[in-house]
Amino acid sequence: MKICSGIDMRSSAGMEKTMSSILYVVVPCYNEEEVLPETSKRLKEKMTSLIAGNVISDRSRVIFVNDGSKDSTWSIIQKLHQENALFGGINLSRNRGHQNALLAGLMTVKDCADVAISMDADLQDDINAMDEMLQKFHNGCDIVYGVRSKRATDTPFKRITAEGFYKVMNWMGANTVYNHADYRLMSKRALEGLAQFKEVNLFLRGIVPMIGYPTDVVYYERSERFAGESKYPLKKMLAFAMEGITSLSNKPIKMITNLGIFVFLMSFVILIYSLVRHFMGATITGWTTIIASIWAIGGLILLSLGVIGEYIGKIYMETKERPRYIIEQFLNEK
C-alpha cells in the first residue's frame, strides 16, 4: 500500500485547489425506505458542514442509486431531489446487485466530481470519517479505505465469519483490505482507472486495490444498522466470497492440480502396499476400503469439476459482454 505524503501529487495547484473540490457521495440502495430519511438527514448535515468549512465545493452532491428496489425507495429519492438540489438519484432499470449498483453510481459521477466517497445506506459506516478521508485526499491520496477498528457490536458468530471471510479471501489469492467493505474515497484519477476494468463479474473490494496510486486508510467504529434488515446474510456472504475468489484468483485451479498430483502419487503408494500384501499372502478383499476410496475419489472429482465449472461460467458471461447495468433515470443538478 502506497502511503500518501503531505504533498498533493495530483495537481500542481496544490492544497488551494483541492480545498474547493467537488465531492459526490454515492450510496447504493435496495429496499431502504426505512433508513433513507435518517441517512439523508445525517448526510445533509455533514455535507453542509463541509461546504461551510470550505473543505468541499457547494456543487458537491449526494447520489442515491436505486438498485431495483421493490418498496418506495425511489419515490423517497425523487422527493429528496425535489426538495433539495444537494440530493440526486440514479434509477437502474432493474436489480443488478450491490456491486453493479455501486459501480453505476461511481461511473456516472466520475465526470462531475473531483472526488467520490461510496458508502452503504444503513448508517453503519461512520459519516464523520469523511473528514479524515478528505484530509488525506488533500494530502495527495487517490484512494482512502474506511477500515473497521473493531467489531464490538457483532455477535461472536458474525465476528468469526466476517474475519474469516477476509482471511480466506487473501489466502485464496483475492487480495483485499482487511476489515474494509465498500466505504472508500476515490479521486477522479482513481475513478478513471477503475473505468478501465471491463469485467462483468465484479468484486470491487479486490479490483480497487489493483488500481494503485497513493493509498491510505481511515479507521472508524462501525455502528449497528439503523433500521431494516441486512442485505448480506451468511448465505449471501459465502456466495460473495466465492464470487470474489473466482473473479480475482486462479489459485483454486492450481490447488486442484496439486490435489490431482497428490492423489496420483498416493495411488502408487497404495499399489506398492497391495503388491507387498499380495506376495506375503495376506490379501483379503476389503469392502470398506473400496467403498471409501470410491466415495473419496468421486467426491474429489465432483468438487474439481464444480470449481472448474465456476471459472467456465465466468468466461461464458465475460464473452457475452452484456451491460453491467442500465440507467433508467439520472436526477442531478450541476
Side-chain angles (χ1 to χ4, degrees), residues 29-211:
C29 304
Y30 177 69
N31 294 343
E32 298 290 3
E33 61 180 6
E34 295 181 58
V35 74
L36 264 183
E38 182 64 22
T39 302
S40 60
K41 175 186 174 183
R42 296 191 192 182
L43 281 172
K44 179 181 177 182
E45 292 173 353
K46 173 53 65 177
M47 296 292 281
T48 302
S49 172
L50 292 171
I51 293 171
N54 198 34
V55 178
I56 58 175
S57 167
D58 57 4
R59 294 165 58 195
S60 299
R61 298 288 182 264
V62 175
I63 303 295
F64 295 106
V65 184
N66 179 42
D67 184 24
S69 298
K70 299 177 181 178
D71 60 7
S72 60
T73 295
W74 180 239
S75 298
I76 295 173
I77 295 172
Q78 289 177 307
K79 184 178 179 182
L80 288 169
H81 175 68
Q82 292 170 0
E83 293 175 349
N84 193 331
L86 173 68
F87 297 109
I90 296 172
N91 190 34
L92 301 187
S93 60
R94 68 181 183 89
N95 178 260
R96 292 294 294 135
H98 178 272
Q99 296 291 281
N100 283 294
L102 177 54
L103 182 72
L106 293 173
M107 294 299 97
T108 302
V109 308
K110 73 180 177 66
D111 294 327
C112 311
D114 297 315
V115 58
I117 293 178
S118 61
M119 62 184 301
D120 291 336
D122 54 19
L123 292 175
Q124 288 188 283
D125 298 322
D126 183 9
I127 291 177
N128 292 319
M130 289 170 57
D131 296 69
E132 189 176 352
M133 285 183 172
L134 288 166
Q135 183 59 51
K136 290 181 181 294
F137 165 70
H138 294 151
N139 289 340
C141 286
D142 284 283
I143 301 172
V144 182
Y145 299 102
V147 177
R148 293 184 64 161
S149 57
K150 57 183 179 180
R151 291 183 172 271
T153 59
D154 289 349
T155 63
F157 177 77
K158 174 65 175 177
R159 188 181 307 116
I160 292 171
T161 54
E163 291 179 350
F165 168 82
Y166 293 102
K167 292 177 180 177
V168 170
M169 291 291 292
N170 289 330
W171 179 66
M172 294 296 287
N175 294 323
T176 58
V177 179
Y178 187 70
N179 270 340
H180 162 71
D182 288 295
Y183 188 25
R184 70 178 73 89
L185 174 149
M186 299 182 70
S187 69
K188 180 186 286 288
R189 183 168 73 155
L191 290 173
E192 290 171 349
L194 178 61
Q196 296 182 48
F197 289 80
K198 303 298 183 181
E199 54 253 56
V200 173
N201 301 286
L202 280 179
F203 188 75
L204 294 177
R205 300 181 195 183
I207 293 175
V208 173
M210 295 180 184
I211 297 173

Side-chain angles (χ1 to χ4, degrees), residues 150-316:
K150 57 183 179 180
R151 291 183 172 271
T153 59
D154 289 349
T155 63
F157 177 77
K158 174 65 175 177
R159 188 181 307 116
I160 292 171
T161 54
E163 291 179 350
F165 168 82
Y166 293 102
K167 292 177 180 177
V168 170
M169 291 291 292
N170 289 330
W171 179 66
M172 294 296 287
N175 294 323
T176 58
V177 179
Y178 187 70
N179 270 340
H180 162 71
D182 288 295
Y183 188 25
R184 70 178 73 89
L185 174 149
M186 299 182 70
S187 69
K188 180 186 286 288
R189 183 168 73 155
L191 290 173
E192 290 171 349
L194 178 61
Q196 296 182 48
F197 289 80
K198 303 298 183 181
E199 54 253 56
V200 173
N201 301 286
L202 280 179
F203 188 75
L204 294 177
R205 300 181 195 183
I207 293 175
V208 173
M210 295 180 184
I211 297 173
Y213 297 143
T215 303
D216 210 337
V217 300
V218 168
Y219 294 96
Y220 70 98
E221 291 189 23
R222 191 168 168 88
S223 307
E224 294 183 3
R225 185 180 176 87
F226 180 80
E229 297 181 353
S230 171
K231 304 303 186 295
Y232 275 96
L234 179 60
K235 181 180 179 181
K236 210 167 185 179
M237 184 61 74
L238 291 174
F240 189 53
M242 179 60 71
E243 176 75 18
I245 292 169
T246 53
S247 295
L248 299 171
S249 171
N250 64 353
K251 190 171 182 179
I253 295 289
K254 293 179 179 179
M255 291 175 66
I256 289 175
T257 303
N258 293 332
L259 180 62
I261 294 172
F262 174 76
V263 172
F264 180 70
L265 293 175
M266 284 299 297
S267 67
F268 278 100
V269 175
I270 294 173
L271 175 62
I272 294 172
Y273 172 77
S274 299
L275 289 173
V276 171
R277 297 279 293 178
H278 172 73
F279 289 116
M280 291 178 62
T283 53
I284 299 174
T285 303
W287 181 85
T288 303
T289 304
I290 294 173
I291 292 299
S293 299
I294 292 173
W295 278 93
I297 299 299
L300 287 174
I301 291 172
L302 289 175
L303 175 63
S304 301
L305 288 174
V307 174
I308 294 171
E310 284 286 329
Y311 283 93
I312 293 174
K314 281 181 166 48
I315 295 171
Y316 171 73

